[in-house]
Amino acid sequence: MSIKLTETDIQNIIQGVLKNIEQNLPGAQAADDAATGQAKPESAPVAAAPVRSNGDYGVFDEAEAAIAAAYQAQRAYAHHFSMQDRERFIAAIRKATLEHKETLASMVLKETKLGRYEDKIAKLELTALKTPGTEDLETKAFSGDNGLTLVKDGPFGVIGAVTPVTNSVETVINNAIGMLAAGNAVVYNVHPSSKACCAYAVKMINRAVQEAGGPEHLVTMVKEPTKETLDAITQSPKVQLLVGTGGPGLVRALLRSGKKAIGAGAGNPPVIVDETANIERAAKEIIAGASFENNILCIAEKEVFVVDKVADDLLFHMLNHGAYRLDDRELEQVMSFALEANVNETAGGCSLDMKREYHTVKEWIGKDAALFLEKIGVTPEKEVKLLICEVDFDHPFVQLEQMMPVLPIVRVSDLDEAIRLAVEAEHGNRHTALMHSTNVANFAAFERAIGTTIFVKNASSLAGVGAGGEGCTTMTIAGPTGEGLTSARTFTRKKRCVLAER
């Protein structure tokens, strides 16, 4: 017997099936009204009962309270707000970020003492304008003789997130936009060296959401983050997904939780410049990426391998575009205070491999190039953005993810040597690599060999996250766990709704 279904019939049945799926999946939240076809128009959002707590716009003294508030907020979010509501809240976050960017940049610089004010402004603008929202979510439909199947992006619920000091506020905002777009709430355990500026950002986000008609505490954090508060978040049954940026130790800790974990790890991005490259453009782009934020970004150019035939030209153009070349004596002076041997603690930033001979000195990470020159008694004739030095492959500046405005340059005989050394220097992080060339075959050879999440051609590293390049922006690049550049869809679980026609 054939049953003819109208579009209204199909929608009603889909609603019922989705509801049953939600109710029977362990730990699942109820589907939001938009997913079930009952979205309220943007002009008339449904007001949810507010989550009352002692939190200060999302900032809590105790991890358990932050988790509980986010859990209640997410339940209200899932039950009472549509996809249009989500996008309205995200638009409010974007607007607030742009309005507060100067304050946020100043606070971050003052608290973390890393990077450059103008670059932080640029990062905040990029985060506000190019982080994907609900448009990143997908619904796939399969129809045929046997009926209709929908595969949808649904929320996890509450996400526990750990943020780095290098991209502190930017990660809070970037993650919040993506996670809220996917229908989740988030509780942060931020880097302790950025807790004040992150608290300001969390309060800003919650005010923006509430003023746009949303629930309290969709974004929460612990006021005084510690290892104990992190453990409380990772072990809480109310937290369904973990997302973190840090070294291998953090990623392993998240994976040991028994929950799904998205881990963003270290990078030591190599750059290859071959003999076919536009050398002046390569010099300009390398300096732009390596000097941005004084090289604290994990995507930034950390070491250059240049074919000997064009090495002198590259150095010449780099000097013309804001670099200062350290001679051997000056390089030794810089090493004497910026590096230390056999230290048992990581120096900061994303990570450092403890097996290597040197570490960067924490106090010099992310400092202006001018301060390095001042320390060694050099007064440059013009503004210096980046220090460059010609070294051998085994030099610690090549091997370390040093996050200072010091860029080592290694001469190589040919492309094969460049690729071999670049792969070794990247240390299997599979994070970011760059190449300047006009030979497509050379690009392909390096890309196959390096296998990184981001591979940038003929541009600065910033193009890899949408600044000067196409594509979206992210501050969480999940190389270790394989998700790559995260966005709203990364923070969803797939739900299949099957309607069989008989």
Side-chain angles (χ1 to χ4, degrees):
M1 177 173 122
S2 176
I3 300 176
K4 299 299 184 181
L5 299 175
T6 67
E7 184 175 345
T8 301
D9 293 331
I10 292 174
Q11 288 299 321
N12 289 334
I13 295 171
I14 289 173
Q15 292 172 35
V17 175
L18 283 175
K19 184 175 181 180
N20 288 333
I21 290 174
E22 292 286 2
Q23 290 174 343
N24 288 288
L25 282 174
Q29 303 296 318
D32 57 72
D33 291 331
T36 59
Q38 295 296 310
K40 300 294 180 183
E42 184 173 352
S43 59
V46 177
V51 180
R52 299 301 179 190
S53 71
N54 60 354
D56 182 9
Y57 282 99
V59 180
F60 291 81
D61 291 332
E62 296 180 352
E64 291 76 10
I67 295 167
Y71 180 76
Q72 292 181 58
Q74 197 278 330
R75 288 173 66 84
Y77 196 39
H79 281 283
H80 299 291
F81 293 91
S82 71
M83 195 70 73
Q84 288 180 326
D85 293 329
R86 293 186 199 178
E87 194 52 50
R88 191 174 69 256
F89 304 154
I90 290 167
I93 295 171
R94 298 185 198 277
K95 182 174 182 288
T97 300
L98 295 175
E99 290 175 347
H100 290 257
K101 62 185 179 182
E102 290 88 358
T103 300
L104 287 166
S106 296
M107 290 184 70
V108 173
L109 186 58
K110 181 179 180 180
E111 185 175 12
T112 68
K113 300 178 176 60
L114 301 176
R116 301 166 62 90
Y117 173 79
E118 59 271 25
D119 293 343
K120 295 187 187 303
I121 293 287
K123 283 198 299 183
L124 287 163
E125 291 174 342
L126 191 66
T127 299
L129 298 174
K130 296 196 72 173
T131 300
T134 57
E135 72 279 3
D136 192 54
L137 305 179
E138 293 182 320
T139 297
K140 294 182 179 180
F142 303 91
S143 63
D145 292 340
N146 292 320
L148 174 68
T149 293
L150 299 179
V151 180
K152 312 184 72 160
D153 289 332
F156 273 90
V158 177
I159 299 176
V162 184
T163 62
V165 68
T166 48
N167 283 314
S168 54
V169 164
E170 301 89 344
T171 302
V172 167
I173 297 169
N174 173 258
N175 281 182
I177 290 174
M179 293 170 182
L180 268 60
N184 303 288
V186 55
V187 55
Y188 286 110
N189 201 81
V190 304
H191 193 286
S193 297
S194 61
K195 61 186 180 183
C197 55
C198 287
Y200 185 96
V202 166
K203 293 177 184 179
M204 177 197 77
I205 291 169
N206 281 299
R207 286 193 184 98
V209 170
Q210 287 179 243
E211 289 172 3
E216 288 186 306
H217 307 319
L218 280 176
V219 178
T220 69
M221 67 169 278
V222 185
K223 185 177 181 180
E224 298 292 339
T226 63
K227 182 182 182 302
E228 288 70 30
T229 60
L230 175 60
D231 290 343
I233 292 170
T234 60
Q235 295 168 15
S236 172
K238 293 179 179 177
V239 175
Q240 287 82 37
L241 172 67
L242 299 173
V243 178
T245 299
L250 172 66
V251 175
R252 285 194 296 269
L254 297 183
L255 292 173
R256 284 196 300 268
S257 70
K259 300 175 182 177
K260 177 176 173 57
I262 296 172
N268 195 41
V271 187
I272 289 179
V273 181
D274 74 12
E275 65 273 23
T276 74
N278 180 326
I279 301 302
E280 183 173 6
R281 177 180 175 180
K284 185 177 180 180
E285 295 294 333
I286 291 170
I287 289 176
S291 65
F292 187 85
E293 277 279 72
N294 293 331
N295 203 249
I296 62 174
L297 302 188
C298 290
I299 63 167
E301 294 85 342
K302 304 295 184 186
E303 63 275 343
V304 177
F305 299 95
V306 55
V307 174
D308 184 68
K309 184 184 298 186
V310 294
D312 288 337
D313 286 344
L314 180 68
L315 291 168
F316 171 79
H317 287 297
M318 292 182 84
L319 294 176
N320 284 340
H321 285 283
Y324 177 91
R325 184 176 181 179
L326 299 170
D327 61 29
D328 291 343
R329 180 184 63 83
E330 292 167 339
L331 178 58
E332 288 183 6
Q333 288 178 298
V334 168
M335 290 177 62
S336 70
F337 63 82
L339 297 181
E340 57 187 2
N342 302 320
V343 178
N344 293 322
E345 296 181 0
T346 55
C350 289
S351 75
L352 292 172
D353 187 335
M354 301 308 301
K355 297 179 181 179
R356 295 176 197 156
E357 184 179 357
Y358 289 94
H359 289 87
T360 49
V361 175
K362 181 177 180 180
E363 289 70 25
W364 285 95
I365 291 176
K367 296 299 185 290
D368 290 349
L371 295 178
F372 286 79
L373 295 179
E374 181 181 324
K375 179 74 172 178
I376 63 176
V378 173
T379 304
E381 296 179 356
K382 57 183 180 180
E383 180 186 4
V384 174
K385 299 178 181 178
L386 184 71
L387 308 179
I388 61 174
C389 53
E390 191 171 340
V391 299
D392 295 329
F393 171 73
D394 58 359
H395 193 279
F397 278 148
V398 174
Q399 301 303 321
L400 290 173
E401 186 198 24
Q402 34 93 356
M403 291 174 290
M404 297 184 294
V406 182
L407 185 67
I409 298 172
V410 180
R411 291 178 186 252
V412 295
S413 59
D414 55 26
L415 179 67
D416 289 340
E417 184 183 15
I419 292 176
R420 177 175 60 82
L421 295 181
V423 169
E424 187 174 344
E426 208 271 332
H427 297 297
N429 293 314
R430 295 190 296 179
H431 196 292
T432 299
L434 306 96
M435 186 173 188
H436 294 269
S437 175
T438 57
N439 188 310
V440 175
N442 290 355
F443 281 133
F446 185 32
E447 185 176 0
R448 284 195 302 269
I450 197 72
T452 51
T453 299
I454 298 175
F455 186 80
V456 178
K457 306 172 185 179
N458 294 333
S460 82
S461 55
L462 301 172
V465 290
E470 296 300 327
C472 66
T473 291
T474 186
M475 297 294 161
T476 302
I477 301 167
T481 52
E483 290 81 6
L485 278 72
T486 59
S487 61
R489 74 180 69 176
T490 312
F491 309 122
T492 63
R493 57 185 182 85
K494 298 297 181 183
K495 303 187 300 181
R496 173 174 281 212
C497 173
V498 180
L499 170 64
E501 182 173 317
R502 293 290 185 267

